[in-house]
Coordinates of all heavy atoms in Angstrom, one line a residue:
G327 N 110.5 84.7 87.1 CA 111.8 84.1 86.7 C 112.6 85.1 85.8 O 113.9 85.0 85.8
M328 N 112.0 86.0 85.1 CA 112.7 87.0 84.3 C 113.3 88.1 85.2 O 114.4 88.5 84.8 CB 111.7 87.6 83.3 CG 111.6 86.9 82.0 SD 110.8 87.9 80.8 CE 109.2 88.3 81.5
Q329 N 112.7 88.5 86.2 CA 113.1 89.6 87.0 C 112.9 89.4 88.5 O 111.8 88.9 88.9 CB 112.3 90.9 86.5 CG 112.9 92.2 87.0 CD 112.2 93.4 86.4 OE1 111.0 93.3 86.1 NE2 112.9 94.5 86.1
R330 N 113.8 89.8 89.3 CA 113.7 89.7 90.7 C 112.4 90.5 91.2 O 112.2 91.6 90.7 CB 114.9 90.2 91.4 CG 115.0 89.8 92.9 CD 116.3 90.2 93.5 NE 117.4 89.5 92.9 CZ 117.8 88.3 93.3 NH1 117.2 87.7 94.3 NH2 118.8 87.7 92.7
Y331 N 111.7 89.9 92.1 CA 110.4 90.5 92.5 C 110.5 91.9 93.0 O 109.6 92.8 92.7 CB 109.7 89.6 93.5 CG 110.2 89.8 94.9 CD1 109.6 90.7 95.8 CD2 111.3 89.1 95.4 CE1 110.1 90.9 97.1 CE2 111.7 89.2 96.7 CZ 111.1 90.2 97.5 OH 111.6 90.4 98.8
S332 N 111.6 92.2 93.6 CA 111.8 93.6 94.2 C 112.0 94.6 93.1 O 112.0 95.8 93.4 CB 113.0 93.6 95.2 OG 114.2 93.2 94.6
E333 N 112.3 94.2 91.9 CA 112.6 95.1 90.8 C 111.4 95.2 89.8 O 111.5 96.0 88.8 CB 113.9 94.7 90.1 CG 115.1 94.7 91.0 CD 116.3 94.1 90.3 OE1 116.1 93.6 89.1 OE2 117.4 94.0 90.9
I334 N 110.4 94.5 90.0 CA 109.2 94.4 89.1 C 108.5 95.7 89.2 O 108.2 96.3 90.2 CB 108.3 93.2 89.5 CG1 109.0 91.9 89.1 CG2 107.0 93.4 88.7 CD1 108.2 90.7 89.5
D335 N 108.1 96.2 88.0 CA 107.2 97.4 87.9 C 105.8 97.0 88.2 O 105.2 96.2 87.5 CB 107.3 98.0 86.5 CG 106.6 99.4 86.4 OD1 105.4 99.4 86.6 OD2 107.2 100.4 86.1
A336 N 105.2 97.6 89.2 CA 103.9 97.2 89.7 C 102.8 97.5 88.7 O 101.7 96.9 88.7 CB 103.6 97.8 91.0
N337 N 103.0 98.5 87.8 CA 102.0 98.9 86.9 C 102.0 98.3 85.5 O 101.0 98.1 84.9 CB 102.0 100.5 86.8 CG 101.6 101.2 88.1 OD1 100.5 100.9 88.6 ND2 102.5 102.0 88.6
A338 N 103.2 98.1 85.0 CA 103.4 97.5 83.7 C 104.5 96.4 83.8 O 105.6 96.5 83.1 CB 103.7 98.6 82.7
A339 N 104.2 95.4 84.5 CA 105.2 94.4 84.9 C 105.9 93.7 83.7 O 107.1 93.6 83.6 CB 104.6 93.4 85.9
Y340 N 105.1 93.2 82.8 CA 105.7 92.3 81.7 C 106.5 93.2 80.8 O 107.6 92.8 80.3 CB 104.6 91.6 81.0 CG 104.1 90.4 81.8 CD1 103.0 90.6 82.7 CD2 104.6 89.2 81.8 CE1 102.5 89.6 83.5 CE2 104.2 88.1 82.5 CZ 103.1 88.3 83.4 OH 102.6 87.3 84.1
S341 N 106.0 94.3 80.4 CA 106.7 95.2 79.5 C 108.1 95.6 80.0 O 109.1 95.5 79.3 CB 105.9 96.5 79.2 OG 104.7 96.2 78.6
V342 N 108.1 96.0 81.3 CA 109.4 96.4 81.9 C 110.3 95.3 82.1 O 111.6 95.4 81.9 CB 109.1 97.2 83.2 CG1 110.4 97.5 83.9 CG2 108.3 98.4 83.0
A343 N 109.8 94.1 82.4 CA 110.6 92.9 82.6 C 111.3 92.5 81.3 O 112.5 92.1 81.3 CB 109.8 91.8 83.2

Side-chain angles (χ1 to χ4, degrees):
M328 273 196 297
Q329 190 174 34
R330 191 174 297 276
Y331 80 91
S332 58
E333 300 171 359
I334 289 174
D335 186 299
N337 291 304
Y340 286 90
S341 295
V342 175

